[in-house]
Amino acid sequence: IRDGTRTKVPALGGAEDLHFEQVGDLEAFFTAGALASLPDRFESEVSELTYKTLRYPGHREKIEFLRELGFLDDEPVEVDGANISPRSVTENRLEHTLPTGQPDLVVGRTTVTGEVDGSSKRIVYELYDEFHKPTDMSAMMRTTVIPAVKIGQLAMTGQLDPGVTPAEGDVPIEPVLHFMRDRGIEIGEVSG
């Protein structure tokens, strides 16, 4: 959302360098479809809303190179008499070449700016989690499943209205954050 209006931005655009205490330097950039229902929910309430994917430095440039060469195109091309999607070849090669089964980590940053009682305020929250050896759960599993479990519990105990509600809707955040903290996932304010 830019100036209160939903706006399309180019995937891999908006690149910026960020530093995180636990992992060092990362790069951030726009990725397609990541905002899900957030623009629907907040278009009339905020003037700006941005989501960027975080990766280690150099990732965006490599993906941009593949895109420029056409390796991410869906339209099939003829190769030795067979019609093959370049994207499916790229997915296959990446799936068979990139390492798997290694411990992962999840890091995120949310920056909120606005006015409180007539004064400008900026708050920055960060999330960090890593592979949890005792439960053999990846950080991605933990940071997606654990909040979902608590939201399910809230729904089952009648603490949420019936029906489908996006997490940014009417889900009370404190019980979810407490549930995450009890399982070692911290989302903390890093500056104000």
Side-chain angles (χ1 to χ4, degrees), residues 111-115 121-123:
T111 303
V112 181
T113 58
E115 283 193 26
K121 181 132 176 133
R122 178 178 185 264
I123 303 171

Side-chain angles (χ1 to χ4, degrees), residues 146-159:
I146 290 173
V149 166
K150 183 59 182 178
I151 292 168
Q153 288 176 347
L154 292 170
M156 290 178 63
T157 58
Q159 297 176 61

Side-chain angles (χ1 to χ4, degrees), residues 120-188:
S120 293
K121 181 132 176 133
R122 178 178 185 264
I123 303 171
V124 179
Y125 296 96
E126 287 189 1
L127 160 75
Y128 176 80
D129 194 48
E130 55 190 39
F131 175 79
H132 191 250
K133 194 171 185 173
T135 59
D136 199 34
M137 287 181 71
S138 71
M140 184 59 75
M141 289 169 66
R142 288 170 45 81
T143 57
T144 55
V145 171
I146 290 173
V149 166
K150 183 59 182 178
I151 292 168
Q153 288 176 347
L154 292 170
M156 290 178 63
T157 58
Q159 297 176 61
L160 294 179
D161 290 334
V164 177
T165 301
E168 70 275 4
D170 298 320
V171 174
I173 192 65
E174 281 307 318
V176 176
L177 292 177
H178 181 74
F179 193 74
M180 292 171 70
R181 275 192 297 272
D182 284 351
R183 283 143 188 86
I185 302 172
E186 287 289 334
I187 298 177

Side-chain angles (χ1 to χ4, degrees), residues 13-183:
E16 64 178 308
D17 296 325
L18 299 173
H19 182 81
F20 289 82
E21 186 70 29
Q22 302 94 330
V23 295
D25 294 331
L26 297 176
E27 59 184 17
F29 50 88
F30 300 130
T31 52
L35 282 177
S37 57
L38 286 176
D40 294 334
R41 169 75 174 169
F42 294 111
E43 187 171 11
S44 64
E45 298 177 31
V46 300
S47 61
E48 183 170 340
L49 176 66
T50 299
Y51 173 93
K52 293 183 179 182
T53 294
L54 297 168
R55 294 289 184 263
Y56 286 108
H59 175 91
R60 188 192 69 78
E61 183 179 4
K62 290 173 181 154
I63 299 301
E64 180 65 31
F65 180 72
L66 291 174
R67 183 169 73 176
E68 287 174 3
L69 291 177
F71 284 99
L72 303 180
D73 292 350
D74 287 319
E75 187 67 33
V77 295
E78 186 176 329
V79 178
D80 294 332
N83 287 322
I84 301 171
S85 157
R87 183 183 196 98
S88 64
V89 172
T90 302
E91 289 172 354
N92 177 278
R93 296 316 323 140
L94 291 174
E95 183 179 319
H96 288 91
T97 305
L98 294 177
T100 60
Q102 297 180 355
D104 68 334
L105 62 89
V106 171
V107 64
R109 178 179 291 159
T110 299
T111 303
V112 181
T113 58
E115 283 193 26
V116 176
D117 298 327
S119 297
S120 293
K121 181 132 176 133
R122 178 178 185 264
I123 303 171
V124 179
Y125 296 96
E126 287 189 1
L127 160 75
Y128 176 80
D129 194 48
E130 55 190 39
F131 175 79
H132 191 250
K133 194 171 185 173
T135 59
D136 199 34
M137 287 181 71
S138 71
M140 184 59 75
M141 289 169 66
R142 288 170 45 81
T143 57
T144 55
V145 171
I146 290 173
V149 166
K150 183 59 182 178
I151 292 168
Q153 288 176 347
L154 292 170
M156 290 178 63
T157 58
Q159 297 176 61
L160 294 179
D161 290 334
V164 177
T165 301
E168 70 275 4
D170 298 320
V171 174
I173 192 65
E174 281 307 318
V176 176
L177 292 177
H178 181 74
F179 193 74
M180 292 171 70
R181 275 192 297 272
D182 284 351
R183 283 143 188 86

